[in-house]
């Protein structure tokens, strides 16, 4: 059963469109992540669901009830804010109990819920402290605790990890994933700009695109399982946004195109791609895309000169100057076998190449072997 | 040892004149209040014979205890009324955006620009029409005219600084507007509230013109008026000793208040609300 249903949501500030044409469902127990570059309206969309902002048009349903006119507290949702927004003059206990007292719950029920949440979040020893005496990670856990005690149908997270340092972020990410499993039926909607968070946490990623003042363009670039967005990006924006370092893009001219494949030429080098290219005219321009980790390095008929190296420990990224395009081709090296100035043979496997037409839309790929069964089922 | 900088020297040279200028009138009042009879007109700074007779006389010759109580009631009432009104107004003006907000803020400020004398006769009509003449309520009402613009402006400024997420978190928790103002914001605004209440209290405590105009009987007077109307045995004699004693008595509560509140006026209470 679906927990949240958004229908034709629009949001404008003045005449400036922020969100357009959003149709989306979040199922019961699903972990849905809103991601996108800054200014895409992902936090605004979360605030619309929370009831802190009103949509300019469209309907929001939570658990089958239209909630457009309902106050935030009546929607059975709980929100964790980016800045935590703890009440600084109240103890940790009172911070968590504050919302429950407004629900007119019995005192011992409030106490039971607060202590249970505090135990599960390792806050039991801190209940009498004020937020000012807590570390960033502890404050974050109090903010999560304040949401848990309400036992809502939907949890909303607004970039909850962005104020934590890197190691704490990974730890808290794991805790949130564990929390989601433990809560079972509650859905979670999570806003982030960090694609590692999105890839690791999400059952469903909603990638939003900034409208930048344009009218008549939908906000959602693609919705799907993380691996679906990774392997089957619907357009160039999605392909470039998902994956780090991002996908290499190479402009090419069509030599021959049909439903079995594409032959094209980039910088005078002939290339083939396994995509359904039926309908592409000869001599038209396409963009090829390949991820750094998918370039086959060490052998091949192409050669590039290493202009820059980034060592990340277990692997490195090399920036190759190639005849294919003016921008360097980023490739992943599994061992630290190269130095700057070396030449490196490589090839671009046809099954790994993504093809985008002149409008930036992806052509259907012929090889699906990268997809996991779960992702295939999701398509 | 730290070398003495010229700024240190300048600082310590500047301290005595400033202290002397600020404290001399009060010290002189204290000293005079303990002098008796003709000693008041001698050139001694400290009295040769210390006597509390003036203090006893102040309470004996007029209902000064009642006057003090009146002042406490008026000043306290003004503080409570201005805080109640200005907290609500500050929430509306500081955190709700509506058309004409700027104009409204300026109007509120404009009210405080009129000299008291200019509005005195109009206000007198109002007070009479409300049947408040010769009542402490008349003073509470009229004192609000100059305390409210100030308290509203200060609280609006502080209210704007509070993080928006705090209010939204409270909304998500099911709190209404009044809960947000009094349970969430008020504790955080405490330093600002303490400072503005103190200043409003002092203003109302010292207010003279309205208190003189709107009261008639000596039982309804507040202390500034009572002191001004202290008279001697004949119209040619001003009982300076009594006046000085009364002045010291009305100043002491203010000094006590400032000392108590300055310990409470600590900023940084909002630390921990948001990461910072």
């Amino acid at each position: 059963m679906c927990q949240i249903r958004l229908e034709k949501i629009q949001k404008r500030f003045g005449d400036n469109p922020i969100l357009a044409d959003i149709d989306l469902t979040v199922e019961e127990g699903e972990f849905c992540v809103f991601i996108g570059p800054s200014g895409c309206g992902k936090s605004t969309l979360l605030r619309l669901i929370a009831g802190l902002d009103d949509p300019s048009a469209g309907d929001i349903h939570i658990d089958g009830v239209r909630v457009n006119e309902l106050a935030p507290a009546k929607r059975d949702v709980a929100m964790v804010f980016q800045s935590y927004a703890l009440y600084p003059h109240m103890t940790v206990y009172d911070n968590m109990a504050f919302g429950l007292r407004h629900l007119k719950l019995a005192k011992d029920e409030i106490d039971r819920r607060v202590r249970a949440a505090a135990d599960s979040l390792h806050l039991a020893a801190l209940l009498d402290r004020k937020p000012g005496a807590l570390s960033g990670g502890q404050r974050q856990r109090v903010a999560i605790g304040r949401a848990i005690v309400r036992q809502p149908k939907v949890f909303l997270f607004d970039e909850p990890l962005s104020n934590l340092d890197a190691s704490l972020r990974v730890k808290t990410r794991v805790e949130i994933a564990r929390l989601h499993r433990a809560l079972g039926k509650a859905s979670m909607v999570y806003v982030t700009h960090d694609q590692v968070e999105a890839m690791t946490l999400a059952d469903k990623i909603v990638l939003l695109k900034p409208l930048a003042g344009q009218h008549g363009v939908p906000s959602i670039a693609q919705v799907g399982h993380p691996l679906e967005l990774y392997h089957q990006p619907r357009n160039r924006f999605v392909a470039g946004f998902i994956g780090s370092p991002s996908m290499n893009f190479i402009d090419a001219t069509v030599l021959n195109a049909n439903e079995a494949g594409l032959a094209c030429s980039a910088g005078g080098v002939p290339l083939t791609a396994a995509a359904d290219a039926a309908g592409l005219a000869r001599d038209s321009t396409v963009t090829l895309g390949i991820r750094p980790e998918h370039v086959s390095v060490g052998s091949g008929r192409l050669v590039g000169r290493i202009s820059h190296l980034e060592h990340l420990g277990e692997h490195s990224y090399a920036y190759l100057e190639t005849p294919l395009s003016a921008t360097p081709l980023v490739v992943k090296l599994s061992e630290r076998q190269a130095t700057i100035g070396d030449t490196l043979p490589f090839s671009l496997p046809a099954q790994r190449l993504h093809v985008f037409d002149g409008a930036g839309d992806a052509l259907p790929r012929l090889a699906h072997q990268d997809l996991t069964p779960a992702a295939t089922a999701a398509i | 040892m730290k070398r003495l900088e010229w700024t240190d020297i300048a600082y310590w040279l500047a301290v005595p004149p400033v202290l002397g200028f600020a404290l001399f009138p009060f010290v002189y009042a204290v000293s005079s209040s303990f002098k008796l009879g003709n000693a008041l007109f001698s050139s001694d700074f400290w009295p040769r014979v210390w006597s509390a007779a003036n203090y006893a006389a102040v309470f004996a010759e007029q209902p000064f205890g009642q006057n003090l109580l009146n002042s406490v009631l008026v000043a306290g009432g003004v503080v409570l009324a201005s805080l109640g009104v200005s907290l609500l107004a500050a929430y509306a003006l500081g955190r709700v955006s509506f058309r004409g907000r700027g104009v409204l803020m300026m109007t509120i400020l404009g009210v405080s620009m009129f000299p008291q004398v200019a509005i005195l006769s109009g206000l007198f009509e109002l007070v009479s029409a409300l049947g408040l003449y010769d009542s402490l309520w008349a003073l509470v009402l009229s004192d609000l005219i100059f305390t409210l613009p100030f308290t509203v402006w200060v609280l609006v400024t502080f209210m704007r600084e509070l993080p928006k997420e705090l209010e939204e978190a409270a909304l998500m928790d099911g709190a209404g507007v009044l809960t947000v103002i009094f349970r969430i914001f008020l504790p955080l605004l405490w330093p600002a509230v303490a400072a503005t209440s103190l200043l409003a209290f002092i203003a109302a405590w010292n207010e003279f013109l309205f208190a003189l105009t709107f009261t008639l009987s000596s039982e309804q007077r507040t202390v500034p008026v009572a002191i001004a109307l202290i008279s001697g045995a004949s119209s040619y004699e001003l009982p300076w000793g009594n006046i000085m004693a009364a002045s010291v008595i009305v100043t002491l509560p203010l000094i006590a208040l400032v000392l108590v509140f300055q310990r409470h006026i600590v900023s940084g209470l909002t630390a921990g609300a948001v990461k910072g």
Side-chain angles (χ1 to χ4, degrees), chain A residues 178-248:
Chain A
R178 192 174 296 148
L179 180 72
H180 174 235
R181 276 199 303 277
L183 292 174
K185 288 175 99 177
S187 335
M188 295 196 170
V189 181
Y190 187 105
V191 166
T192 181
H193 59 263
D194 181 321
Q195 52 168 300
V196 179
E197 280 172 32
M199 297 297 280
T200 52
L201 289 171
D203 299 318
K204 177 190 270 177
I205 290 184
V206 178
L207 177 52
L208 298 166
K209 197 166 120 180
L211 298 179
Q214 286 173 277
H215 290 268
V217 214
S219 280
I220 296 183
Q222 190 166 353
V223 179
H225 188 273
L227 291 180
E228 187 188 342
L229 268 71
Y230 179 83
H231 289 296
Q232 304 281 329
R234 196 185 283 164
N235 53 45
R236 210 184 132 157
F237 172 78
V238 179
F241 190 84
I242 301 286
S244 173
S246 54
M247 188 183 275
N248 296 295

Side-chain angles (χ1 to χ4, degrees), chain A residues 23-57:
Chain A
D23 286 294
L24 183 69
T25 58
V26 179
E27 310 294 327
E28 185 174 85
E30 194 169 40
F31 201 119
C32 176
V33 173
F34 295 167
I35 192 171
S38 54
C40 69
K42 52 191 188 292
S43 286
T44 307
L45 185 54
L46 194 76
R47 293 169 56 84
L48 295 184
I49 299 173
L52 296 171
D53 275 332
D54 296 321
S56 308

Side-chain angles (χ1 to χ4, degrees), chain A residues 47 50 52 72-73 77 79 81 83 85-90 98-99 102 131-132 139 146 150 163, chain B residues 164-166 168-175 179 183-184 187-188 269-276:
Chain A
R47 293 169 56 84
L52 296 171
V77 300
M79 182 152 166
F81 290 83
S83 60
L86 302 178
Y87 312 123
H89 55 293
M90 296 185 194
F98 186 77
H102 284 100
R139 284 181 207 173
R146 188 168 64 178
R150 309 233 345 246
N163 281 340
Chain B
K164 191 175 162 216
E165 285 89 353
L166 216 51
E168 292 178 343
L171 283 182
M172 299 290 299
D173 270 343
T179 314
R183 296 278 311 280
I184 307 289
L188 300 177
L269 199 71
T270 49
V274 291
K275 163 132 182 159

Side-chain angles (χ1 to χ4, degrees), chain B residues 82 88 100 190 218:
Chain B
S82 3
L88 296 176
W190 173 237
S218 56

